Amino acid sequence: SDIQTGFKLVGAMHLGVQASRSAPLTEAEVSVSIVTGAVRPTALSVAAPPGFVFPADCLFSGASVVTSCKPSGSAAGRPTARLTAVAGGFTGTFTGLKLRVTMPEATPASRAWFVEGIQGDTEAVLGWGEDPAGIE
């Protein structure tokens, strides 16, 4: 069908985020779990709700699969961070990943967090996922 011309479908990923209750504008650790499903990205882009800030080195604990976490601008008004994988990329389910963030001044209207699985050498998006509940 003509509708599929130039339109690439991407895989489904699952994302979960949790954090202990933290005061506004303080640094906090966000625990992240990701299921990559059928995709095997070499990098991830994590988008937090508006008002959150990723510091220069946002990796607290890499769950033995993440080598770095750096702020990477914003997407649709949401701050983003780029996570780089060890050789072999991200596969399967991984938990124990902890990111550093500065909490927003107030709870944002939209608390959803997003993740994109990226092929690092081409920047192609391979999959994405969402945690619609996010953190308070």
Short mmCIF file of all heavy atoms in Angstrom, two decimals, residues 54-100:
data_model
loop_
_atom_site.label_atom_id
_atom_site.label_comp_id
_atom_site.label_asym_id
_atom_site.label_seq_id
_atom_site.Cartn_x
_atom_site.Cartn_y
_atom_site.Cartn_z
N PHE A 54 18.30 17.59 33.79
CA PHE A 54 19.36 16.59 33.85
C PHE A 54 20.68 17.32 34.03
O PHE A 54 21.02 18.17 33.22
CB PHE A 54 19.40 15.76 32.55
CG PHE A 54 18.23 14.83 32.37
CD1 PHE A 54 17.21 15.14 31.48
CD2 PHE A 54 18.15 13.65 33.09
CE1 PHE A 54 16.14 14.28 31.29
CE2 PHE A 54 17.07 12.79 32.92
CZ PHE A 54 16.07 13.11 32.02
N PRO A 55 21.46 17.01 35.10
CA PRO A 55 22.76 17.66 35.27
C PRO A 55 23.78 17.14 34.24
O PRO A 55 23.51 16.17 33.53
CB PRO A 55 23.17 17.28 36.70
CG PRO A 55 22.45 16.01 36.97
CD PRO A 55 21.17 16.07 36.18
N ALA A 56 24.95 17.77 34.20
CA ALA A 56 25.98 17.44 33.20
C ALA A 56 26.33 15.95 33.19
O ALA A 56 26.51 15.36 32.13
CB ALA A 56 27.22 18.27 33.43
N ASP A 57 26.44 15.33 34.35
CA ASP A 57 26.66 13.88 34.44
C ASP A 57 25.45 13.31 35.15
O ASP A 57 25.40 13.29 36.38
CB ASP A 57 27.94 13.54 35.18
CG ASP A 57 28.16 12.03 35.29
OD1 ASP A 57 27.41 11.26 34.66
OD2 ASP A 57 29.08 11.63 36.03
N CYS A 58 24.46 12.86 34.39
CA CYS A 58 23.20 12.42 35.00
C CYS A 58 23.17 10.94 35.35
O CYS A 58 22.15 10.44 35.81
CB CYS A 58 22.02 12.80 34.13
SG CYS A 58 22.16 12.42 32.38
N LEU A 59 24.30 10.23 35.20
CA LEU A 59 24.33 8.81 35.54
C LEU A 59 24.75 8.62 36.98
O LEU A 59 25.83 9.03 37.39
CB LEU A 59 25.30 8.07 34.61
CG LEU A 59 25.41 6.56 34.82
CD1 LEU A 59 24.06 5.88 34.56
CD2 LEU A 59 26.49 5.99 33.90
N PHE A 60 23.87 8.01 37.77
CA PHE A 60 24.21 7.67 39.15
C PHE A 60 24.69 6.22 39.21
O PHE A 60 25.71 5.91 39.78
CB PHE A 60 23.01 7.88 40.09
CG PHE A 60 23.33 7.55 41.51
CD1 PHE A 60 24.04 8.43 42.30
CD2 PHE A 60 22.94 6.34 42.06
CE1 PHE A 60 24.36 8.12 43.61
CE2 PHE A 60 23.24 6.01 43.36
CZ PHE A 60 23.96 6.91 44.14
N SER A 61 23.93 5.33 38.58
CA SER A 61 24.28 3.91 38.53
C SER A 61 23.80 3.36 37.20
O SER A 61 22.63 3.51 36.85
CB SER A 61 23.60 3.17 39.69
OG SER A 61 23.75 1.78 39.56
N GLY A 62 24.71 2.69 36.48
CA GLY A 62 24.41 2.28 35.12
C GLY A 62 23.87 0.89 34.91
O GLY A 62 23.73 0.47 33.77
N ALA A 63 23.57 0.16 35.97
CA ALA A 63 23.02 -1.18 35.84
C ALA A 63 23.88 -2.05 34.93
O ALA A 63 23.38 -2.91 34.23
CB ALA A 63 21.58 -1.13 35.32
N SER A 64 25.18 -1.80 34.92
CA SER A 64 26.19 -2.53 34.14
C SER A 64 25.96 -2.51 32.63
O SER A 64 26.58 -3.25 31.90
CB SER A 64 26.33 -3.98 34.62
OG SER A 64 25.23 -4.76 34.23
N VAL A 65 25.04 -1.67 32.15
CA VAL A 65 24.78 -1.59 30.72
C VAL A 65 24.93 -0.17 30.16
O VAL A 65 25.14 0.01 28.98
CB VAL A 65 23.39 -2.20 30.38
CG1 VAL A 65 22.27 -1.32 30.86
CG2 VAL A 65 23.26 -2.49 28.91
N VAL A 66 24.86 0.85 31.02
CA VAL A 66 24.97 2.24 30.59
C VAL A 66 26.35 2.77 30.93
O VAL A 66 26.80 2.64 32.07
CB VAL A 66 23.89 3.12 31.25
CG1 VAL A 66 24.03 4.58 30.83
CG2 VAL A 66 22.50 2.61 30.91
N THR A 67 27.02 3.37 29.95
CA THR A 67 28.36 3.90 30.19
C THR A 67 28.34 5.41 30.46
O THR A 67 29.26 5.92 31.08
CB THR A 67 29.29 3.62 29.00
OG1 THR A 67 28.74 4.21 27.83
CG2 THR A 67 29.46 2.12 28.80
N SER A 68 27.31 6.12 29.98
CA SER A 68 27.25 7.56 30.23
C SER A 68 25.84 8.07 30.09
O SER A 68 24.99 7.46 29.43
CB SER A 68 28.18 8.32 29.27
OG SER A 68 27.68 8.28 27.96
N CYS A 69 25.59 9.22 30.74
CA CYS A 69 24.32 9.92 30.64
C CYS A 69 24.64 11.41 30.59
O CYS A 69 25.26 11.94 31.50
CB CYS A 69 23.44 9.61 31.85
SG CYS A 69 21.86 10.52 31.87
N LYS A 70 24.21 12.06 29.53
CA LYS A 70 24.48 13.48 29.32
C LYS A 70 23.20 14.18 28.89
O LYS A 70 22.43 13.63 28.09
CB LYS A 70 25.54 13.69 28.23
CG LYS A 70 26.84 12.97 28.45
CD LYS A 70 27.65 13.64 29.52
CE LYS A 70 28.97 12.89 29.72
NZ LYS A 70 29.51 13.06 31.03
N PRO A 71 22.96 15.40 29.38
CA PRO A 71 21.80 16.14 28.87
C PRO A 71 21.94 16.36 27.37
O PRO A 71 23.05 16.54 26.87
CB PRO A 71 21.85 17.47 29.63
CG PRO A 71 23.11 17.48 30.41
CD PRO A 71 23.76 16.15 30.31
N SER A 72 20.82 16.31 26.67
CA SER A 72 20.88 16.43 25.20
C SER A 72 19.84 17.39 24.65
O SER A 72 19.30 17.19 23.58
CB SER A 72 20.73 15.05 24.57
OG SER A 72 19.51 14.44 24.95
N GLY A 73 19.54 18.45 25.41
CA GLY A 73 18.61 19.44 24.92
C GLY A 73 17.19 19.14 25.33
O GLY A 73 16.94 18.71 26.46
N SER A 74 16.26 19.35 24.40
CA SER A 74 14.86 19.11 24.72
C SER A 74 14.11 18.64 23.48
O SER A 74 14.56 18.82 22.35
CB SER A 74 14.21 20.39 25.27
OG SER A 74 14.16 21.38 24.28
N ALA A 75 12.98 18.02 23.73
CA ALA A 75 12.09 17.56 22.67
C ALA A 75 10.67 17.90 23.10
O ALA A 75 10.24 17.48 24.18
CB ALA A 75 12.23 16.06 22.44
N ALA A 76 9.98 18.69 22.30
CA ALA A 76 8.60 19.09 22.60
C ALA A 76 8.49 19.71 23.99
O ALA A 76 7.55 19.46 24.73
CB ALA A 76 7.65 17.90 22.45
N GLY A 77 9.50 20.52 24.37
CA GLY A 77 9.47 21.20 25.65
C GLY A 77 9.86 20.34 26.84
O GLY A 77 9.74 20.76 27.99
N ARG A 78 10.33 19.14 26.58
CA ARG A 78 10.74 18.22 27.66
C ARG A 78 12.25 18.07 27.64
O ARG A 78 12.83 17.85 26.58
CB ARG A 78 10.11 16.84 27.46
CG ARG A 78 8.61 16.84 27.60
CD ARG A 78 8.01 15.51 27.17
NE ARG A 78 6.61 15.46 27.48
CZ ARG A 78 6.12 15.04 28.65
NH1 ARG A 78 6.92 14.59 29.59
NH2 ARG A 78 4.82 15.05 28.87
N PRO A 79 12.90 18.13 28.81
CA PRO A 79 14.35 17.92 28.84
C PRO A 79 14.69 16.48 28.49
O PRO A 79 13.97 15.56 28.86
CB PRO A 79 14.72 18.24 30.30
CG PRO A 79 13.47 17.98 31.07
CD PRO A 79 12.33 18.33 30.13
N THR A 80 15.77 16.30 27.74
CA THR A 80 16.18 14.96 27.34
C THR A 80 17.60 14.66 27.78
O THR A 80 18.41 15.57 27.96
CB THR A 80 16.09 14.78 25.81
OG1 THR A 80 16.93 15.73 25.18
CG2 THR A 80 14.66 14.94 25.31
N ALA A 81 17.88 13.39 27.97
CA ALA A 81 19.22 12.92 28.30
C ALA A 81 19.56 11.77 27.37
O ALA A 81 18.71 10.94 27.04
CB ALA A 81 19.30 12.45 29.75
N ARG A 82 20.81 11.72 26.96
CA ARG A 82 21.31 10.66 26.07
C ARG A 82 22.08 9.66 26.90
O ARG A 82 23.04 10.01 27.57
CB ARG A 82 22.20 11.28 24.99
CG ARG A 82 22.88 10.32 24.08
CD ARG A 82 21.95 9.90 22.96
NE ARG A 82 22.66 9.13 21.96
CZ ARG A 82 22.49 9.30 20.67
NH1 ARG A 82 21.67 10.21 20.21
NH2 ARG A 82 23.13 8.55 19.81
N LEU A 83 21.67 8.39 26.84
CA LEU A 83 22.34 7.30 27.54
C LEU A 83 23.04 6.44 26.51
O LEU A 83 22.43 6.04 25.51
CB LEU A 83 21.33 6.45 28.32
CG LEU A 83 20.79 7.02 29.63
CD1 LEU A 83 19.95 8.25 29.39
CD2 LEU A 83 19.99 5.97 30.35
N THR A 84 24.31 6.15 26.74
CA THR A 84 25.10 5.33 25.84
C THR A 84 25.29 3.95 26.45
O THR A 84 25.57 3.83 27.64
CB THR A 84 26.47 6.00 25.58
OG1 THR A 84 26.23 7.33 25.12
CG2 THR A 84 27.26 5.24 24.53
N ALA A 85 25.19 2.92 25.61
CA ALA A 85 25.28 1.53 26.06
C ALA A 85 26.69 0.99 25.96
O ALA A 85 27.52 1.49 25.20
CB ALA A 85 24.36 0.64 25.22
N VAL A 86 26.95 -0.07 26.71
CA VAL A 86 28.18 -0.83 26.56
C VAL A 86 28.15 -1.50 25.18
O VAL A 86 27.11 -1.53 24.52
CB VAL A 86 28.31 -1.91 27.67
CG1 VAL A 86 28.42 -1.27 29.04
CG2 VAL A 86 27.16 -2.89 27.63
N ALA A 87 29.28 -2.04 24.74
CA ALA A 87 29.33 -2.75 23.45
C ALA A 87 28.24 -3.81 23.42
O ALA A 87 28.01 -4.52 24.38
CB ALA A 87 30.70 -3.38 23.27
N GLY A 88 27.56 -3.91 22.30
CA GLY A 88 26.47 -4.88 22.16
C GLY A 88 25.10 -4.24 22.29
O GLY A 88 24.10 -4.84 21.94
N GLY A 89 25.04 -3.03 22.83
CA GLY A 89 23.78 -2.31 22.92
C GLY A 89 22.90 -2.76 24.07
O GLY A 89 23.28 -3.57 24.90
N PHE A 90 21.73 -2.19 24.10
CA PHE A 90 20.72 -2.51 25.12
C PHE A 90 19.88 -3.67 24.63
O PHE A 90 19.37 -3.64 23.52
CB PHE A 90 19.81 -1.31 25.35
CG PHE A 90 20.49 -0.10 25.91
CD1 PHE A 90 20.83 0.96 25.09
CD2 PHE A 90 20.79 -0.01 27.26
CE1 PHE A 90 21.44 2.10 25.60
CE2 PHE A 90 21.42 1.11 27.78
CZ PHE A 90 21.74 2.16 26.96
N THR A 91 19.73 -4.69 25.45
CA THR A 91 18.89 -5.83 25.08
C THR A 91 18.08 -6.30 26.27
O THR A 91 18.54 -6.24 27.41
CB THR A 91 19.73 -7.02 24.57
OG1 THR A 91 20.61 -7.43 25.61
CG2 THR A 91 20.52 -6.67 23.33
N GLY A 92 16.89 -6.77 26.00
CA GLY A 92 16.06 -7.38 27.03
C GLY A 92 15.56 -6.41 28.07
O GLY A 92 15.19 -5.28 27.77
N THR A 93 15.57 -6.87 29.32
CA THR A 93 15.07 -6.09 30.44
C THR A 93 16.24 -5.68 31.31
O THR A 93 17.09 -6.50 31.63
CB THR A 93 14.11 -6.93 31.29
OG1 THR A 93 13.02 -7.35 30.46
CG2 THR A 93 13.57 -6.16 32.47
N PHE A 94 16.29 -4.41 31.68
CA PHE A 94 17.30 -4.03 32.66
C PHE A 94 16.70 -3.08 33.70
O PHE A 94 15.89 -2.23 33.41
CB PHE A 94 18.58 -3.48 32.03
CG PHE A 94 18.44 -2.31 31.12
CD1 PHE A 94 18.64 -1.02 31.59
CD2 PHE A 94 18.10 -2.49 29.79
CE1 PHE A 94 18.53 0.06 30.75
CE2 PHE A 94 17.98 -1.41 28.94
CZ PHE A 94 18.19 -0.13 29.43
N THR A 95 17.09 -3.35 34.93
CA THR A 95 16.67 -2.56 36.08
C THR A 95 17.93 -2.15 36.83
O THR A 95 19.02 -2.60 36.50
CB THR A 95 15.75 -3.37 37.01
OG1 THR A 95 16.45 -4.53 37.45
CG2 THR A 95 14.47 -3.79 36.31
N GLY A 96 17.80 -1.31 37.82
CA GLY A 96 18.96 -0.87 38.58
C GLY A 96 19.62 0.37 38.00
O GLY A 96 20.59 0.87 38.53
N LEU A 97 19.07 0.87 36.90
CA LEU A 97 19.57 2.10 36.31
C LEU A 97 19.06 3.27 37.14
O LEU A 97 17.87 3.36 37.43
CB LEU A 97 19.09 2.22 34.87
CG LEU A 97 19.37 3.52 34.13
CD1 LEU A 97 20.87 3.78 34.03
CD2 LEU A 97 18.75 3.47 32.74
N LYS A 98 19.97 4.16 37.55
CA LYS A 98 19.57 5.33 38.33
C LYS A 98 20.15 6.58 37.69
O LYS A 98 21.34 6.65 37.41
CB LYS A 98 20.04 5.21 39.78
CG LYS A 98 19.33 4.11 40.52
CD LYS A 98 19.71 4.09 41.97
CE LYS A 98 18.95 2.96 42.67
NZ LYS A 98 19.24 2.92 44.10
N LEU A 99 19.27 7.55 37.46
CA LEU A 99 19.65 8.82 36.87
C LEU A 99 19.53 9.94 37.89
O LEU A 99 18.65 9.90 38.75
CB LEU A 99 18.77 9.14 35.66
CG LEU A 99 18.70 8.10 34.56
CD1 LEU A 99 17.79 8.57 33.44
CD2 LEU A 99 20.09 7.78 34.03
N ARG A 100 20.40 10.93 37.77
CA ARG A 100 20.31 12.13 38.60
C ARG A 100 19.45 13.17 37.86
O ARG A 100 19.64 13.40 36.67
CB ARG A 100 21.68 12.75 38.82
CG ARG A 100 22.55 12.01 39.76
CD ARG A 100 23.84 12.83 40.02
NE ARG A 100 24.71 12.12 40.90
CZ ARG A 100 25.71 11.34 40.52
NH1 ARG A 100 26.00 11.20 39.25
NH2 ARG A 100 26.45 10.72 41.41
#
